[in-house]
């Protein structure tokens, strides 16, 4: 009957199906070091896909030459050639082969799930030497406690080996779900993210990573705290970036920068007196990228958010309105201490590299492969 919701088509697709013949994987029947990554449909602005493609390109140069990207359903591409062209245009031609649909997976030494929607397919595919799970956040927390929360959480019980974005996730998967997991830390592109000269300005600027469409980024709590800051420090203005917030009532001096080109971010970060970054789940890449531009940071305290940088490098606040507001004002008033922390954070950003993190993962892959 038309108009009815088809639960079966959607969720049974997510649950995957048995594939493969159970062949013994060796260098005689699959290329050594071959890797296949099953991903949800991609876009150029997706931070998760940027990370995946980054590691695919780096691992390709570290002894894992055959890198394949399989785009799971649902996707918007009419052909694999169209998806390949879009991938190359968005991320550069890294020699990564694209195919469409989870049923197009071919035998390989390593098969990697990415978003939770791909994990069931990977767990049920029999012609892979190692089945891995590239976990960038605790995805059950993206949902209310219902079907999708449970389906996402259950992917950590499928016996896949985790490669996680940061130590918090690795510890959580080991302790709560008994997964084997290795973590990589974050880095940033230092050719892009670097300090620009500060322009003279009588107004102090707070950068806020504002993502009202992403609940885990705690937009509303940040907005409440920022109003208190601006009420008490009227020479302060807030720059909102990450999403268009023009539909919100914002009763203080601010700029709605919306979604910006990546190339424009370093100079913007460099002009700010403090950056506020909130997250109720795993950190984004933003703290290290902003630190590389010399911007002092305020981040919420907690094992999910404080694993990357120390108390000497950034200001930590509790995830509550009063604490956020008070910590921002402390950072703005104590310029000497704030400059000291920003300098230490900048030094950290300059010491880390994506290549070093990929080398760590490549060593692990050889150990288990």
């Amino acid at each position: 009957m038309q108009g009815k919701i088809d639960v079966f088509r959607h969720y049974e697709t997510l649950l995957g199906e048995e594939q493969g013949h159970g062949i013994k994987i060796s260098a005689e029947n699959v290329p050594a070091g071959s890797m296949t990554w099953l991903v949800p449909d991609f876009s150029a602005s997706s931070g998760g896909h940027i990370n995946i493609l980054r590691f695919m390109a780096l691992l390709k140069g570290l002894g894992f030459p055959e890198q394949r990207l399989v785009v799971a359903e649902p996707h918007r591409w009419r052909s694999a050639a169209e998806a390949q062209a879009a991938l190359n245009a968005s991320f550069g031609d890294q020699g990564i082969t694209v195919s469409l649909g989870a049923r197009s997976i071919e035998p390989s030494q390593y098969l990697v799930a990415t978003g939770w929607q791909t994990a069931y397919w990977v767990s049920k595919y029999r012609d892979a030497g190692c089945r891995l799970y590239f976990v960038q956040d605790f995805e059950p927390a993206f949902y209310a406690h219902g079907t999708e929360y449970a389906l996402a959480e259950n992917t950590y019980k499928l016996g896949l080996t985790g490669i996680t974005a940061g130590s918090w996730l690795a510890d959580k998967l080991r302790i709560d779900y008994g997964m084997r997991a290795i973590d990589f830390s974050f880095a940033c592109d230092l050719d892009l993210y670097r300090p620009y000269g500060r322009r003279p300005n009588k107004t102090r600027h707070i950068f806020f990573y504002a993502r009202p469409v992403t609940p885990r980024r705690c937009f509303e709590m940040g907005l409440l705290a920022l109003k208190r800051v601006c009420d008490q420090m009227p020479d302060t203005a807030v720059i909102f970036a990450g999403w268009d917030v023009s539909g919100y009532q914002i009763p203080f001096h601010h700029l709605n920068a919306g979604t910006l080109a990546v190339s424009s971010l370093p100079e913007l970060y460099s002009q700010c007196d403090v950056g506020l970054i909130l997250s109720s789940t795993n950190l984004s890449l933003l703290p290290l990228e902003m630190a590389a531009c010399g911007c002092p940071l305020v981040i919420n305290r907690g094992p999910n958010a404080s694993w990357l940088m120390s108390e000497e490098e950034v200001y930590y606040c509790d995830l509550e309105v009063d604490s956020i507001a008070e910590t921002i004002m402390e950072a703005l008033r104590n310029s000497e201490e704030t400059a000291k922390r920003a300098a230490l954070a900048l030094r950290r950003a300059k010491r880390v590299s994506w290549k070093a993190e990929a080398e760590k993962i490549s060593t692990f892959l050889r150990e288990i492969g």
Side-chain angles (χ1 to χ4, degrees):
M1 185 175 179
Q2 288 186 347
K4 289 192 175 183
I5 297 171
D6 189 348
V7 170
F8 300 98
R9 182 178 179 182
H10 176 66
Y11 289 104
E12 286 184 344
T13 299
L14 291 176
L15 290 172
E17 61 188 46
E18 296 284 346
Q19 292 188 91
H21 304 286
I23 63 175
K24 184 177 180 180
I25 301 299
S26 68
E28 296 176 358
N29 54 26
V30 299
S34 56
M35 298 187 72
T36 300
W37 302 65
L38 182 61
V39 303
D41 199 10
F42 64 86
S43 69
S45 61
S46 166
H49 286 89
I50 290 169
N51 254 1
I52 292 166
L53 270 295
R54 176 187 288 119
F55 274 93
M56 291 180 76
L58 288 168
L59 289 169
K60 185 178 175 67
L62 290 171
F64 303 85
E66 186 169 308
Q67 296 285 333
R68 305 177 197 146
L69 191 79
V70 177
V71 183
E73 299 92 342
H75 58 73
R76 64 189 185 281
W77 310 108
R78 292 170 294 182
S79 68
E82 182 185 37
Q84 182 81 63
L87 183 87
N88 294 349
S90 298
F91 302 101
D93 187 351
Q94 306 288 348
I96 294 167
T97 304
V98 179
S99 63
L100 298 178
R103 294 177 184 84
S104 70
I105 298 172
E106 297 179 1
S108 60
Q109 187 174 0
Y110 304 95
L111 178 59
V112 190
T114 53
W116 74 265
Q117 300 91 339
T118 68
Y120 291 100
W121 285 96
V122 168
S123 72
K124 294 177 179 180
Y125 187 80
R126 293 182 290 175
D127 295 341
C130 299
R131 288 184 290 271
L132 306 165
Y133 195 172
F134 193 78
V135 183
Q136 300 192 66
D137 210 337
F138 186 66
E139 293 184 318
F142 297 2
Y143 309 97
H145 276 256
T147 295
E148 288 175 317
Y149 184 102
L151 287 173
E153 184 181 37
N154 288 341
T155 62
Y156 305 139
K157 307 171 187 176
L158 296 174
L160 305 177
T161 297
I163 300 173
T164 74
S167 57
W168 170 69
L169 273 173
D171 290 343
K172 187 171 184 63
L173 297 186
R174 292 187 197 110
I175 295 167
D176 293 353
Y177 303 100
M179 278 184 67
R180 182 181 186 184
I182 184 175
D183 63 275
F184 61 88
S185 191
F186 291 169
C188 60
D189 179 359
L190 295 176
D191 291 330
L192 173 64
Y193 295 102
R194 56 184 177 82
Y196 283 70
R198 290 290 300 271
R199 296 189 295 269
N201 202 317
K202 294 181 180 179
T203 302
R204 292 179 288 194
H205 290 97
I206 303 169
F207 177 93
F208 180 36
Y209 181 47
R211 292 277 304 176
V213 294
T214 308
R216 64 187 182 276
R217 301 308 182 201
C218 304
F219 169 74
E220 297 83 1
M221 187 173 288
L223 193 62
L224 290 167
L226 289 166
K227 181 179 183 299
R228 296 190 184 184
V229 173
C230 293
D231 285 347
Q232 295 189 45
M233 304 181 77
D235 62 339
T236 303
V238 177
I239 299 173
F240 294 92
W243 199 257
D244 178 11
V245 297
S246 60
Y248 288 82
Q249 210 173 57
I250 302 176
F252 50 82
H253 187 32
H254 70 279
L255 169 67
N256 172 30
T259 303
L260 298 170
V262 171
S263 59
S264 68
L265 292 174
E267 185 169 10
L268 176 61
Y269 296 159
S270 299
Q271 305 309 316
C272 293
D273 297 273
V274 68
L276 173 63
I277 305 171
L278 303 176
S279 183
S280 62
T281 59
N282 203 23
L283 278 177
S284 69
L285 298 178
L286 219 62
L288 213 54
E289 292 169 352
M290 294 188 72
C293 300
C295 180
L297 298 175
V298 172
I299 302 173
N300 58 283
R301 183 179 290 108
N304 62 297
S306 55
W307 58 267
L308 180 63
M309 305 176 82
S310 72
E311 295 269 2
E312 289 74 34
E313 295 164 325
V314 303
Y315 287 95
Y316 281 105
C317 61
D318 295 328
L319 197 55
E320 59 179 49
V321 173
D322 287 344
S323 181
I324 296 168
E326 289 165 4
T327 307
I328 293 171
M329 288 188 286
E330 178 187 356
L332 291 173
R333 288 167 175 156
N334 194 345
S335 58
E336 185 176 339
E337 174 62 23
T338 298
K340 178 182 175 183
R341 295 192 194 201
L344 291 173
L346 173 60
R347 188 169 70 178
R348 174 181 288 273
K350 288 181 175 179
R351 287 203 309 260
V352 295
S353 76
W354 286 119
K355 184 178 180 182
E357 298 307 314
E359 288 171 346
K360 177 182 176 182
I361 300 304
S362 72
T363 299
F364 177 74
L365 292 176
R366 290 188 176 90
E367 290 173 355
I368 66 172

